[in-house]
Amino acid sequence: MNAIIFYLLSAAAVFSTLMAISRRELIHAVVYLVLSFFSLGLIFFMMGAPLIAALEVLIYAGAIMVLFLFIVMMLEMGAAKIPLTPFWKVWGPAVVIAAVILFSMSLLFLGTPQTPLSPMTAFISPRQFGQALYTKYYLAVEAASLLLLFALVGALYLGKRDNP
Amino acid sequence: MMPPFSYVLVLSAILFGLGVVCVAVRRNLIMILIGVEIIINAAGLAFVAGSLRWNMPDGQIFVLFLAAMAASEVSVGLAMIVYLHRRKKTVNIDHFDEMKG
Amino acid sequence: MNSYIPWLIIIIKAFLILFVTLTLAAYMVLAERKLLARMQDRYGPNRVGPFGLLQPLADVIKLITKEDILPAQADRFIYLIAPGVVAGTVLLTFAVVPFGAPVKIGGVTVQMPVIDLNVGALYFLAMSSLGVYGVALAGWSSGSKYSLFGGIRGSAQMISYELSMGLALVPVVMLTGSFSLNDIVAAQSNVPFVVYSPLAFVIFLVSVAAESRRIPFDLAEAENELVAGYHTEYSGMRFGLFYIGEYVNIIVLSALAVTFYLGGWHGPGPSWLSLFWFFLKAAAIAFFFIWMRATLPRLRYDQLMHLGWKFLVPLSLANVLLTGFLALIFHWRNV
């Protein structure tokens, strides 16, 4: 049962990501990517990470992608005039390289002994998550907050109107 | 019954590959940032799967840090795109190929 | 045996909630028109049925029979799904609202929410953040300047106020020690959280009013500037979906305000009265929203942003600090 849901969700994620990277219209790409993040969030939920699933939807789909949408709408590049490059010029090599990497990675992953995942044993509740986060990784939390602060300052500086 | 660990890793690898193709191929700056987002998410999937595999919360915590990193990367990246668009009225990466402003 | 019974219960609950919510939303429209009329010294709708009670039915029939227009400039696919996103995300939020005490039917204890997620509060935030897409995409896909401005304004406003809304929930989660809405209600069995953290309640109400994009925060559809904002081009039942979304949103946000701050379904009397208490409290909050609409003028756009970023966000951060401090000193944490 769970396996079927997982395959369905992963098919949805791969398909929507594929659609997202091949759209000319940026808004369509963003919408497909939101679908992809949504299915990834559900996969996270299945894999015993309810908090990360909620954060995936909240942060990626709800904040980051809205930011993209907002910028695209604001700059009015909806109908982007940038042509897709001819297939064999750029797409060809990139797709071939990606396929080679993918093939070798799959061989490596599938060649190792198969360990089935057991969903219930590793269910990590928000409480456990928070405890681990603020005891074991408190320094990393500080570093992340500093990173966000720097990003804020950087974005503010770049966005200033009277930039030289 | 969940699928084996390696299947999840394969899914993560597929998404990663798609993200790399997006970054390598698209000429729109915004699409390149989107490709980076896809890559980060694929990494997050691998982390969550690992967290389930070894029954430790650490993997999930790293996804949180990934999200923080992605958020800051996107905010700075988009601010740069707005800035570049203001200067050159385009987001085509081929138009940013000279070192002088 | 009986492995299918939990599924059956969930499906029945989902359908019941969907039906009740949509009916309530329709009558919410009527209640608002009536109340607004009374506050403005008018009668309001009173022609269809006794006291105008059949007016919602007439409205629905009218909306369904109207032509569904697709503008030539529109982006077809996105234009068609955007109203569904608005109504759908709001309806999905109802899945986690506990609107009554658990009841026992034939030896099976039935919890009131459709699902009791252990990240319920975050689920609510996630759904409301997805609601932004409905507004932004509707505005963009209509292919009209007014709609685009409405969409940009609406999405900026909703992102801004989501922050203060989320931060206003932090004291609640701190005092409960859980994201689950059932736990949050259970923790308020004696004293509702509004007593512990009144400031959070006020911030939540203001943010929620902004999140639902109604007067005084209806910048996204300000009719004297933007015709009707992001849903200018919509007609027929697709326009109706925006309408349903707006009114279901009021209901769900009132219900959540009750759940988070006013003790949920707890009240004096036997447990079967819990539905009544919940409904009464939620109706009071909904009345407050309608009252606000009748009373307050619309904010200017810069005032809206200033209120959100320079006042509510710092205030709610300070409130988180204050509540944490007091909770530590007085040992408030009841889990």
Side-chain angles (χ1 to χ4, degrees):
Chain A
M1 182 67 182
N2 270 337
I4 297 171
I5 298 176
F6 172 80
Y7 294 132
L8 281 178
L9 284 175
S10 39
V14 170
F15 175 73
S16 46
T17 311
L18 199 65
M19 292 300 271
I21 67 169
S22 58
R23 291 303 92 183
R24 275 186 69 178
E25 192 79 74
L26 286 173
I27 303 257
H28 290 183
V30 169
V31 172
Y32 274 114
L33 208 57
V34 169
L35 287 181
S36 157
F37 288 160
F38 207 83
S39 30
L40 262 187
L42 286 174
I43 291 177
F44 288 173
F45 189 80
M46 277 177 65
M47 298 201 302
L51 193 73
I52 293 300
L55 287 179
E56 171 89 10
V57 177
L58 195 61
I59 297 177
Y60 283 100
I64 292 181
M65 282 298 125
V66 172
L67 208 59
F68 274 108
L69 199 65
F70 199 68
I71 296 295
V72 173
M73 276 162 67
M74 226 171 62
L75 299 184
E76 283 190 270
M77 307 175 299
K81 282 118 204 148
I82 304 167
L84 284 180
T85 38
F87 186 82
W88 288 115
K89 205 167 154 199
V90 184
W91 279 85
V95 168
V96 167
I97 293 168
V100 168
I101 294 173
L102 198 64
F103 182 67
S104 40
M105 269 168 130
S106 305
L107 273 188
L108 277 176
F109 292 150
L110 297 175
T112 51
Q114 308 277 303
T115 39
L117 297 171
S118 44
M120 289 324 287
T121 52
F123 190 83
I124 288 156
S125 71
R127 185 183 289 269
Q128 284 168 291
F129 183 89
Q131 253 149 15
L133 181 64
Y134 286 110
T135 51
K136 209 166 162 188
Y137 290 103
Y138 64 98
L139 269 179
V141 172
E142 292 301 319
S145 66
L146 274 182
L147 178 71
L148 286 170
L149 181 65
F150 294 155
L152 179 71
V153 174
L156 269 180
Y157 179 72
L158 282 169
K160 241 173 42 173
R161 272 279 169 201
D162 48 352
N163 235 356
Chain B
M1 195 56 212
M2 283 287 286
F5 180 53
S6 46
Y7 284 25
V8 186
L9 283 186
V10 169
L11 172 64
S12 159
I14 293 173
L15 291 178
F16 184 89
L18 287 176
V20 170
V21 168
C22 184
V23 171
V25 165
R26 297 301 297 254
R27 289 159 150 194
N28 193 323
L29 275 171
I30 293 187
M31 281 312 287
I32 292 174
L33 269 189
I34 283 180
V36 176
E37 288 307 301
I38 297 173
I39 292 174
I40 290 174
N41 258 281
L45 178 62
F47 271 121
V48 171
S51 162
L52 181 65
R53 165 76 175 72
W54 285 284
N55 204 353
M56 304 246 285
D58 305 46
Q60 297 188 12
I61 286 167
F62 268 89
V63 180
L64 193 69
F65 294 135
L66 275 183
M69 198 199 78
S72 45
E73 172 246 323
V74 160
S75 56
V76 174
L78 283 177
M80 274 165 86
I81 289 177
V82 170
Y83 178 69
L84 291 173
H85 185 262
R86 214 182 280 152
R87 296 192 77 159
K88 288 214 162 182
K89 302 284 166 236
T90 178
V91 285
N92 189 338
I93 195 141
D94 289 344
H95 293 176
F96 300 110
D97 54 356
E98 70 258 22
M99 283 298 278
K100 57 184 189 299
Chain C
M1 68 168 243
N2 287 343
S3 66
Y4 60 92
I5 281 201
W7 289 100
L8 200 66
I9 290 174
I10 284 179
I11 291 171
I12 291 174
K13 275 194 293 192
F15 271 100
L16 216 61
I17 288 172
L18 189 68
F19 179 72
V20 171
T21 318
L22 288 178
T23 316
L24 270 181
Y27 277 91
M28 187 80 199
V29 179
L30 180 68
E32 183 180 62
R33 287 175 68 182
K34 280 282 200 191
L35 282 169
L36 271 182
R38 285 299 171 180
M39 286 174 190
Q40 296 162 351
D41 238 358
R42 298 184 281 120
Y43 281 113
N46 59 0
R47 295 287 129 173
V48 192
F51 307 107
L53 276 179
L54 296 179
Q55 184 70 40
L57 206 64
D59 284 346
V60 168
I61 291 172
K62 189 190 91 173
L63 281 174
I64 288 178
T65 48
K66 284 226 170 182
E67 189 190 351
D68 187 12
I69 296 168
L70 183 74
Q73 299 285 313
D75 185 294
R76 194 183 154 75
F77 178 60
I78 292 186
Y79 181 83
L80 295 183
I81 60 162
V85 175
V86 170
T89 51
V90 174
L91 281 171
L92 278 175
T93 314
F94 254 106
V96 292
V97 179
F99 45 84
V103 282
K104 274 205 163 86
I105 305 172
V108 187
T109 313
V110 180
Q111 293 283 343
M112 272 300 156
V114 178
I115 34 166
D116 180 27
L117 277 182
N118 59 354
V119 286
L122 283 178
Y123 173 84
F124 154 60
L125 287 177
M127 280 304 141
S128 77
S129 70
L130 284 183
V132 180
Y133 284 103
V135 176
L137 292 177
W140 175 80
S141 67
S142 297
S144 134
K145 284 276 184 275
Y146 292 124
S147 299
L148 185 67
F149 275 123
I152 290 182
R153 279 186 180 187
S155 46
Q157 171 184 349
M158 286 172 83
I159 306 173
S160 312
Y161 280 85
E162 226 155 67
L163 276 177
S164 48
M165 192 166 74
L167 285 172
L169 290 185
V170 174
V172 172
V173 176
M174 263 181 352
L175 291 171
T176 316
S178 165
F179 282 117
S180 155
L181 296 198
N182 265 350
D183 292 354
I184 288 174
V185 173
Q188 301 178 78
S189 56
N190 296 321
V191 189
F193 283 152
V194 67
V195 178
Y196 288 120
S197 185
L199 199 56
F201 179 59
V202 175
I203 294 170
F204 186 77
L205 272 192
V206 175
S207 319
V208 148
E211 192 75 12
S212 63
R213 307 179 301 280
R214 288 163 53 80
I215 294 174
F217 299 106
D218 66 334
L219 273 297
E221 44 194 288
E223 58 263 26
N224 36 15
E225 301 166 32
L226 297 179
V227 190
Y230 56 92
H231 53 55
T232 304
E233 304 291 335
Y234 282 91
S235 64
M237 206 51 216
R238 289 188 201 282
F239 174 73
L241 276 176
F242 281 114
Y243 223 67
I244 290 171
E246 178 176 345
Y247 284 89
V248 175
N249 206 1
I250 299 173
I251 295 173
V252 76
L253 293 173
S254 321
L256 283 165
V258 170
T259 308
F260 287 136
Y261 299 100
L262 299 183
W265 42 262
H266 286 297
S271 70
W272 54 267
L273 265 179
S274 61
L275 270 175
F276 167 73
W277 285 118
F278 188 83
F279 187 77
L280 194 71
K281 291 176 191 173
I285 304 261
F287 176 76
F288 174 75
F289 284 141
I290 295 173
W291 191 11
M292 200 154 73
R293 173 172 176 178
T295 316
L296 293 175
R298 182 183 305 131
L299 267 72
R300 232 175 33 229
Y301 194 63
D302 59 323
Q303 289 172 333
L304 177 90
M305 285 296 159
H306 280 217
L307 177 69
W309 288 100
K310 295 190 179 167
F311 185 69
L312 283 182
V313 170
L315 192 68
S316 47
L317 277 173
N319 183 44
V320 169
L321 205 64
L322 179 75
T323 313
F325 186 67
L326 290 179
L328 265 184
I329 291 182
F330 296 113
H331 300 287
W332 276 350
R333 213 169 143 222
N334 33 15
V335 181

